[in-house]
Amino acid sequence: MTALTGLFANNNGSVVLNVLLSIALIWAIRQMAGKEKVIQNYQKRDEENEKQLNEYNRSLVKLLIEREALERARADKTNGEEVVNK
């Protein structure tokens, strides 16, 4: 990009060279814009994936807490039955 803009300054007013440099400069700008758009798309996808992962983790924690509560209830019930049976 810097090389292209430098050529504009040192081309001695050649119309053909100005046209070619303009085309090259437009192409370079489009390439950079395209790369920026790709980067933005990846960032957006990363944000969406992070949201989904956080939601999954919250659900997993809830399930683990429920499972632990059920196991404690079963253990309490089993311990209570043992005391009655003695």
Side-chain angles (χ1 to χ4, degrees):
M1 184 71 124
T2 305
L4 288 174
T5 54
L7 287 173
F8 268 112
N10 300 321
N11 69 7
N12 298 325
S14 168
V15 174
V16 173
L17 189 54
N18 276 337
V19 170
L20 291 175
L21 289 172
S22 295
I23 292 169
L25 191 57
I26 290 168
W27 179 83
I29 291 169
R30 285 184 178 168
Q31 292 298 312
M32 289 189 310
K35 288 178 184 177
E36 182 63 29
K37 186 168 185 161
V38 167
I39 290 169
Q40 289 174 351
N41 287 341
Y42 277 118
Q43 289 172 339
K44 184 177 179 182
R45 189 167 56 177
D46 286 347
E47 290 171 4
E48 291 171 2
N49 287 342
E50 188 174 346
K51 286 178 186 177
Q52 289 177 349
L53 182 60
N54 287 336
E55 187 176 316
Y56 172 78
N57 285 337
R58 281 192 295 273
S59 298
L60 183 59
V61 168
K62 286 179 185 178
L63 288 173
L64 290 172
I65 290 170
E66 289 174 7
R67 180 178 169 190
E68 182 68 23
L70 285 173
E71 288 177 1
R72 284 184 187 162
R74 287 184 192 142
D76 291 345
K77 183 178 178 182
T78 302
N79 290 338
E81 290 174 359
E82 288 177 6
V83 171
V84 171
N85 289 336
K86 288 184 178 181

mmCIF file of all heavy atoms in Angstrom, residues 60-85:
data_model
loop_
_atom_site.group_PDB
_atom_site.id
_atom_site.type_symbol
_atom_site.label_atom_id
_atom_site.label_comp_id
_atom_site.label_asym_id
_atom_site.label_seq_id
_atom_site.Cartn_x
_atom_site.Cartn_y
_atom_site.Cartn_z
ATOM 1 N N LEU A 60 -25.166 -27.494 32.321
ATOM 2 C CA LEU A 60 -24.425 -28.625 32.891
ATOM 3 C C LEU A 60 -24.292 -28.479 34.398
ATOM 4 O O LEU A 60 -24.498 -29.444 35.144
ATOM 5 C CB LEU A 60 -23.043 -28.714 32.241
ATOM 6 C CG LEU A 60 -22.167 -29.885 32.664
ATOM 7 C CD1 LEU A 60 -22.857 -31.208 32.352
ATOM 8 C CD2 LEU A 60 -20.821 -29.804 31.965
ATOM 9 N N VAL A 61 -24.001 -27.284 34.868
ATOM 10 C CA VAL A 61 -23.892 -27.055 36.313
ATOM 11 C C VAL A 61 -25.234 -27.320 36.989
ATOM 12 O O VAL A 61 -25.291 -27.963 38.046
ATOM 13 C CB VAL A 61 -23.390 -25.614 36.603
ATOM 14 C CG1 VAL A 61 -23.560 -25.263 38.070
ATOM 15 C CG2 VAL A 61 -21.936 -25.468 36.184
ATOM 16 N N LYS A 62 -26.326 -26.856 36.388
ATOM 17 C CA LYS A 62 -27.656 -27.107 36.955
ATOM 18 C C LYS A 62 -27.925 -28.602 37.056
ATOM 19 O O LYS A 62 -28.430 -29.093 38.075
ATOM 20 C CB LYS A 62 -28.741 -26.443 36.109
ATOM 21 C CG LYS A 62 -28.810 -24.954 36.261
ATOM 22 C CD LYS A 62 -29.899 -24.374 35.365
ATOM 23 C CE LYS A 62 -29.920 -22.869 35.405
ATOM 24 N NZ LYS A 62 -30.945 -22.317 34.494
ATOM 25 N N LEU A 63 -27.605 -29.336 35.992
ATOM 26 C CA LEU A 63 -27.822 -30.787 36.007
ATOM 27 C C LEU A 63 -26.976 -31.472 37.075
ATOM 28 O O LEU A 63 -27.450 -32.388 37.761
ATOM 29 C CB LEU A 63 -27.515 -31.380 34.635
ATOM 30 C CG LEU A 63 -28.516 -31.066 33.531
ATOM 31 C CD1 LEU A 63 -27.999 -31.566 32.183
ATOM 32 C CD2 LEU A 63 -29.864 -31.692 33.843
ATOM 33 N N LEU A 64 -25.736 -31.031 37.215
ATOM 34 C CA LEU A 64 -24.873 -31.635 38.233
ATOM 35 C C LEU A 64 -25.392 -31.346 39.644
ATOM 36 O O LEU A 64 -25.349 -32.217 40.518
ATOM 37 C CB LEU A 64 -23.438 -31.127 38.081
ATOM 38 C CG LEU A 64 -22.691 -31.627 36.840
ATOM 39 C CD1 LEU A 64 -21.357 -30.916 36.696
ATOM 40 C CD2 LEU A 64 -22.497 -33.131 36.901
ATOM 41 N N ILE A 65 -25.892 -30.150 39.854
ATOM 42 C CA ILE A 65 -26.459 -29.801 41.161
ATOM 43 C C ILE A 65 -27.696 -30.645 41.436
ATOM 44 O O ILE A 65 -27.867 -31.181 42.542
ATOM 45 C CB ILE A 65 -26.782 -28.292 41.220
ATOM 46 C CG1 ILE A 65 -25.481 -27.485 41.247
ATOM 47 C CG2 ILE A 65 -27.650 -27.962 42.421
ATOM 48 C CD1 ILE A 65 -25.665 -25.989 41.063
ATOM 49 N N GLU A 66 -28.559 -30.790 40.433
ATOM 50 C CA GLU A 66 -29.759 -31.622 40.600
ATOM 51 C C GLU A 66 -29.378 -33.072 40.881
ATOM 52 O O GLU A 66 -29.979 -33.731 41.729
ATOM 53 C CB GLU A 66 -30.634 -31.540 39.350
ATOM 54 C CG GLU A 66 -31.321 -30.207 39.169
ATOM 55 C CD GLU A 66 -32.062 -30.106 37.842
ATOM 56 O OE1 GLU A 66 -32.151 -31.123 37.119
ATOM 57 O OE2 GLU A 66 -32.542 -29.001 37.532
ATOM 58 N N ARG A 67 -28.396 -33.569 40.175
ATOM 59 C CA ARG A 67 -27.947 -34.954 40.369
ATOM 60 C C ARG A 67 -27.414 -35.146 41.781
ATOM 61 O O ARG A 67 -27.719 -36.138 42.443
ATOM 62 C CB ARG A 67 -26.869 -35.283 39.336
ATOM 63 C CG ARG A 67 -26.323 -36.668 39.437
ATOM 64 C CD ARG A 67 -25.314 -36.915 38.357
ATOM 65 N NE ARG A 67 -24.611 -38.147 38.594
ATOM 66 C CZ ARG A 67 -23.550 -38.520 37.917
ATOM 67 N NH1 ARG A 67 -23.085 -37.760 36.948
ATOM 68 N NH2 ARG A 67 -22.948 -39.643 38.179
ATOM 69 N N GLU A 68 -26.603 -34.192 42.237
ATOM 70 C CA GLU A 68 -26.059 -34.272 43.591
ATOM 71 C C GLU A 68 -27.179 -34.248 44.622
ATOM 72 O O GLU A 68 -27.152 -35.003 45.598
ATOM 73 C CB GLU A 68 -25.096 -33.101 43.834
ATOM 74 C CG GLU A 68 -24.436 -33.114 45.189
ATOM 75 C CD GLU A 68 -23.444 -34.247 45.378
ATOM 76 O OE1 GLU A 68 -22.925 -34.765 44.370
ATOM 77 O OE2 GLU A 68 -23.209 -34.621 46.537
ATOM 78 N N ALA A 69 -28.192 -33.411 44.394
ATOM 79 C CA ALA A 69 -29.328 -33.338 45.319
ATOM 80 C C ALA A 69 -30.082 -34.666 45.353
ATOM 81 O O ALA A 69 -30.483 -35.133 46.437
ATOM 82 C CB ALA A 69 -30.251 -32.195 44.921
ATOM 83 N N LEU A 70 -30.280 -35.271 44.188
ATOM 84 C CA LEU A 70 -30.968 -36.569 44.139
ATOM 85 C C LEU A 70 -30.161 -37.645 44.854
ATOM 86 O O LEU A 70 -30.729 -38.481 45.585
ATOM 87 C CB LEU A 70 -31.216 -36.984 42.689
ATOM 88 C CG LEU A 70 -32.330 -36.249 41.951
ATOM 89 C CD1 LEU A 70 -32.347 -36.655 40.473
ATOM 90 C CD2 LEU A 70 -33.678 -36.561 42.596
ATOM 91 N N GLU A 71 -28.852 -37.645 44.657
ATOM 92 C CA GLU A 71 -28.012 -38.648 45.327
ATOM 93 C C GLU A 71 -28.040 -38.457 46.842
ATOM 94 O O GLU A 71 -28.080 -39.432 47.589
ATOM 95 C CB GLU A 71 -26.579 -38.557 44.795
ATOM 96 C CG GLU A 71 -26.436 -39.090 43.387
ATOM 97 C CD GLU A 71 -25.016 -38.942 42.835
ATOM 98 O OE1 GLU A 71 -24.131 -38.447 43.556
ATOM 99 O OE2 GLU A 71 -24.813 -39.328 41.670
ATOM 100 N N ARG A 72 -28.050 -37.209 47.287
ATOM 101 C CA ARG A 72 -28.138 -36.952 48.731
ATOM 102 C C ARG A 72 -29.483 -37.412 49.279
ATOM 103 O O ARG A 72 -29.554 -37.990 50.367
ATOM 104 C CB ARG A 72 -27.954 -35.459 49.017
ATOM 105 C CG ARG A 72 -26.542 -35.006 48.909
ATOM 106 C CD ARG A 72 -26.405 -33.553 49.298
ATOM 107 N NE ARG A 72 -25.057 -33.092 49.019
ATOM 108 C CZ ARG A 72 -24.717 -31.832 48.919
ATOM 109 N NH1 ARG A 72 -25.631 -30.889 49.061
ATOM 110 N NH2 ARG A 72 -23.473 -31.491 48.680
ATOM 111 N N ALA A 73 -30.550 -37.153 48.530
ATOM 112 C CA ALA A 73 -31.879 -37.578 48.974
ATOM 113 C C ALA A 73 -31.946 -39.093 49.070
ATOM 114 O O ALA A 73 -32.499 -39.642 50.032
ATOM 115 C CB ALA A 73 -32.942 -37.038 48.014
ATOM 116 N N ARG A 74 -31.380 -39.782 48.086
ATOM 117 C CA ARG A 74 -31.363 -41.252 48.125
ATOM 118 C C ARG A 74 -30.535 -41.750 49.307
ATOM 119 O O ARG A 74 -30.913 -42.695 49.991
ATOM 120 C CB ARG A 74 -30.793 -41.809 46.824
ATOM 121 C CG ARG A 74 -31.719 -41.688 45.657
ATOM 122 C CD ARG A 74 -31.128 -42.337 44.415
ATOM 123 N NE ARG A 74 -31.906 -41.965 43.247
ATOM 124 C CZ ARG A 74 -31.404 -41.701 42.059
ATOM 125 N NH1 ARG A 74 -30.101 -41.771 41.857
ATOM 126 N NH2 ARG A 74 -32.183 -41.371 41.056
ATOM 127 N N ALA A 75 -29.389 -41.114 49.526
ATOM 128 C CA ALA A 75 -28.533 -41.521 50.647
ATOM 129 C C ALA A 75 -29.240 -41.282 51.974
ATOM 130 O O ALA A 75 -29.188 -42.139 52.871
ATOM 131 C CB ALA A 75 -27.216 -40.757 50.597
ATOM 132 N N ASP A 76 -29.915 -40.138 52.096
ATOM 133 C CA ASP A 76 -30.658 -39.853 53.330
ATOM 134 C C ASP A 76 -31.777 -40.872 53.539
ATOM 135 O O ASP A 76 -32.013 -41.339 54.655
ATOM 136 C CB ASP A 76 -31.239 -38.431 53.293
ATOM 137 C CG ASP A 76 -30.171 -37.362 53.388
ATOM 138 O OD1 ASP A 76 -29.020 -37.696 53.765
ATOM 139 O OD2 ASP A 76 -30.471 -36.191 53.068
ATOM 140 N N LYS A 77 -32.459 -41.226 52.452
ATOM 141 C CA LYS A 77 -33.551 -42.196 52.542
ATOM 142 C C LYS A 77 -33.001 -43.559 52.940
ATOM 143 O O LYS A 77 -33.560 -44.246 53.795
ATOM 144 C CB LYS A 77 -34.279 -42.287 51.202
ATOM 145 C CG LYS A 77 -35.468 -43.205 51.206
ATOM 146 C CD LYS A 77 -36.164 -43.207 49.864
ATOM 147 C CE LYS A 77 -37.331 -44.184 49.874
ATOM 148 N NZ LYS A 77 -37.992 -44.257 48.578
ATOM 149 N N THR A 78 -31.879 -43.945 52.329
ATOM 150 C CA THR A 78 -31.257 -45.240 52.649
ATOM 151 C C THR A 78 -30.799 -45.254 54.098
ATOM 152 O O THR A 78 -31.012 -46.235 54.814
ATOM 153 C CB THR A 78 -30.052 -45.502 51.713
ATOM 154 O OG1 THR A 78 -30.512 -45.459 50.367
ATOM 155 C CG2 THR A 78 -29.429 -46.839 51.993
ATOM 156 N N ASN A 79 -30.187 -44.184 54.548
ATOM 157 C CA ASN A 79 -29.733 -44.114 55.948
ATOM 158 C C ASN A 79 -30.919 -44.150 56.895
ATOM 159 O O ASN A 79 -30.855 -44.779 57.962
ATOM 160 C CB ASN A 79 -28.913 -42.844 56.193
ATOM 161 C CG ASN A 79 -27.563 -42.900 55.500
ATOM 162 O OD1 ASN A 79 -27.073 -43.977 55.188
ATOM 163 N ND2 ASN A 79 -26.972 -41.748 55.256
ATOM 164 N N GLY A 80 -31.995 -43.516 56.548
ATOM 165 C CA GLY A 80 -33.195 -43.531 57.375
ATOM 166 C C GLY A 80 -33.794 -44.918 57.473
ATOM 167 O O GLY A 80 -34.259 -45.354 58.532
ATOM 168 N N GLU A 81 -33.798 -45.658 56.381
ATOM 169 C CA GLU A 81 -34.327 -47.017 56.387
ATOM 170 C C GLU A 81 -33.466 -47.949 57.213
ATOM 171 O O GLU A 81 -33.958 -48.833 57.890
ATOM 172 C CB GLU A 81 -34.446 -47.545 54.952
ATOM 173 C CG GLU A 81 -35.541 -46.880 54.146
ATOM 174 C CD GLU A 81 -35.559 -47.312 52.691
ATOM 175 O OE1 GLU A 81 -34.691 -48.130 52.300
ATOM 176 O OE2 GLU A 81 -36.432 -46.830 51.950
ATOM 177 N N GLU A 82 -32.149 -47.730 57.185
ATOM 178 C CA GLU A 82 -31.252 -48.562 57.984
ATOM 179 C C GLU A 82 -31.504 -48.364 59.481
ATOM 180 O O GLU A 82 -31.483 -49.298 60.256
ATOM 181 C CB GLU A 82 -29.799 -48.249 57.642
ATOM 182 C CG GLU A 82 -29.363 -48.743 56.279
ATOM 183 C CD GLU A 82 -27.921 -48.346 55.952
ATOM 184 O OE1 GLU A 82 -27.236 -47.786 56.824
ATOM 185 O OE2 GLU A 82 -27.495 -48.597 54.823
ATOM 186 N N VAL A 83 -31.760 -47.111 59.833
ATOM 187 C CA VAL A 83 -32.032 -46.830 61.243
ATOM 188 C C VAL A 83 -33.344 -47.495 61.675
ATOM 189 O O VAL A 83 -33.421 -48.086 62.756
ATOM 190 C CB VAL A 83 -32.104 -45.292 61.481
ATOM 191 C CG1 VAL A 83 -32.612 -44.988 62.886
ATOM 192 C CG2 VAL A 83 -30.754 -44.674 61.235
ATOM 193 N N VAL A 84 -34.365 -47.464 60.820
ATOM 194 C CA VAL A 84 -35.649 -48.096 61.139
ATOM 195 C C VAL A 84 -35.480 -49.609 61.242
ATOM 196 O O VAL A 84 -36.061 -50.240 62.101
ATOM 197 C CB VAL A 84 -36.705 -47.718 60.075
ATOM 198 C CG1 VAL A 84 -37.978 -48.533 60.261
ATOM 199 C CG2 VAL A 84 -37.003 -46.228 60.116
ATOM 200 N N ASN A 85 -34.690 -50.194 60.376
ATOM 201 C CA ASN A 85 -34.520 -51.645 60.349
ATOM 202 C C ASN A 85 -33.743 -52.161 61.558
ATOM 203 O O ASN A 85 -33.886 -53.304 61.945
ATOM 204 C CB ASN A 85 -33.814 -52.079 59.063
ATOM 205 C CG ASN A 85 -34.714 -51.917 57.846
ATOM 206 O OD1 ASN A 85 -35.937 -51.922 57.966
ATOM 207 N ND2 ASN A 85 -34.109 -51.776 56.685
#
